[in-house]
Amino acid sequence: MNATVAAAPTLPQRLPGLALAAGLALLAVWLGRLAPLLGGPVIGIVLGLAVRNAAAPGAAFAPGIQFAGKQVLQWSIVALGFGLSLGQVAKTGFDSLAVTLVTVTAAFFAAWGLGRLLGVRDKLKLLIGVGTAICGGSAIAAVTPIVKPDEHDTAFAISTIFLFNLAAVLLFPLLGHVLHLSDLGFGLWAGTAINDTSSVVAAGYSYSKQAGDYATIVKLTRATLIIPVCLALAVAVAVRAKKQGAGDFSLWRIFPWFILWFLVASALRTAGLVPAALLPVLHAAAEFLIVMALTAIGLSADLRRMATTGARPILLGLGVWAAVALSSLAVQRLIGQL
């Protein structure tokens, strides 16, 4: 066995890749404000993909891009915690919990069953399922450090999720009026069946202000489910590693500690220990970090390799999205919340 262990890259070695990811992220955030329907995260990953496949960055950029796609990704999740008041979410969350749990369960079962039928790779199947079930790109970002998928799988999953987010923003308000949904009924449907926060907000407020307010809080409640999902995945990864004979594998080492810090950030916000004047700054930091991380993932992804995956992940995304949307309406009708 080679006793030499490669040293971790130094900050100067990471700077070129970090600077490239940060520069593209700044551009993505600006473009995202001009085109809120797309949003900075999606534009960031598209810019990263475009640069990577038009003129692949040299080896000098690799350490920083890798760092941004992993460590910065985790920091972005922690920063998101400052924007989530656990008390506020709990108030509305209790009323939406039944619908949320059913839709999340439907998403995972649909991803598992349809993914097997279509022959989609396990990790890509998991990413599409988690992203559709919980909170789109943020959920995919949260589970990526645990399941360690290929960069092109992450990029493909986020692109698939975005496609159906866009469809939901355009179709949900129209369908809501056709179905004669109440403001609260539509808000609950949008908050549980559309995965990306920006798309939930866009669809909710295009229906009515009350629907938008309710949909946003329901969506925040749904986002908190990423915590138990990450913990469950960490345990599952540890158990699988043990079965495969990785005797030195430790749950302690792969435990998603950034989720713990996410909880700490949320608790500080809930306890009122974060100055109100600081909240917009923290929100902007969270937005920028997640855009930077997703941009780095785009910079690492090979479109030619993604193309070999074919249409099956798109069909999987469509099936999971349909399962979530229909199960949400079914539960609401059953419990009389439409």
Side-chain angles (χ1 to χ4, degrees), residues 80 83-85 88-90 92-93 96-97 99-100 103-104 130-140 161 165 186-202 204-205 211-226 262 324:
L80 286 173
L84 184 65
S85 171
Q88 177 192 25
V89 170
T92 300
S96 64
L97 187 60
V99 180
T100 298
T103 55
V104 168
V130 168
T132 306
I134 302 175
C135 51
S138 298
I140 293 172
I161 294 299
N165 273 335
F186 182 83
L188 185 54
W189 188 38
T192 53
I194 305 175
N195 45 63
D196 183 72
T197 303
S198 61
S199 299
V200 169
V201 170
Y205 284 105
D213 289 344
Y214 196 75
T216 300
I217 299 177
V218 170
K219 176 64 184 67
L220 291 176
T221 304
R222 184 173 157 211
T224 63
L225 292 179
I226 195 58
F262 171 89
V324 169

Side-chain angles (χ1 to χ4, degrees), residues 44-204:
I45 201 166
V46 169
L47 285 176
L49 282 167
V51 171
R52 165 69 172 80
N53 292 275
F61 294 89
I65 291 172
Q66 184 179 35
F67 184 84
K70 293 182 179 179
Q71 276 74 21
V72 173
L73 189 63
Q74 297 181 24
W75 297 346
S76 71
I77 300 302
V78 174
L80 286 173
F82 289 105
L84 184 65
S85 171
L86 299 181
Q88 177 192 25
V89 170
K91 184 177 178 181
T92 300
F94 182 78
D95 293 334
S96 64
L97 187 60
V99 180
T100 298
L101 291 177
V102 169
T103 55
V104 168
T105 302
F108 281 120
F109 272 107
W112 175 75
L114 188 57
R116 288 189 64 182
L117 183 65
L118 293 170
V120 177
R121 291 186 300 277
D122 285 345
K123 290 185 178 180
L124 180 54
K125 181 167 57 182
L126 175 64
L127 292 178
I128 291 174
V130 168
T132 306
I134 302 175
C135 51
S138 298
I140 293 172
V143 303
T144 293
I146 300 170
V147 300
K148 297 181 172 60
D150 291 342
E151 288 86 353
H152 80 284
D153 276 356
T154 304
F156 205 119
I158 292 174
S159 301
T160 300
I161 294 299
F162 164 69
L163 174 64
F164 295 109
N165 273 335
L166 181 60
V169 171
L170 298 175
L171 292 176
F172 267 49
L174 175 62
L175 291 174
H177 288 298
V178 169
L179 295 171
H180 304 292
L181 298 182
S182 67
D183 290 335
L184 293 184
F186 182 83
L188 185 54
W189 188 38
T192 53
I194 305 175
N195 45 63
D196 183 72
T197 303
S198 61
S199 299
V200 169
V201 170

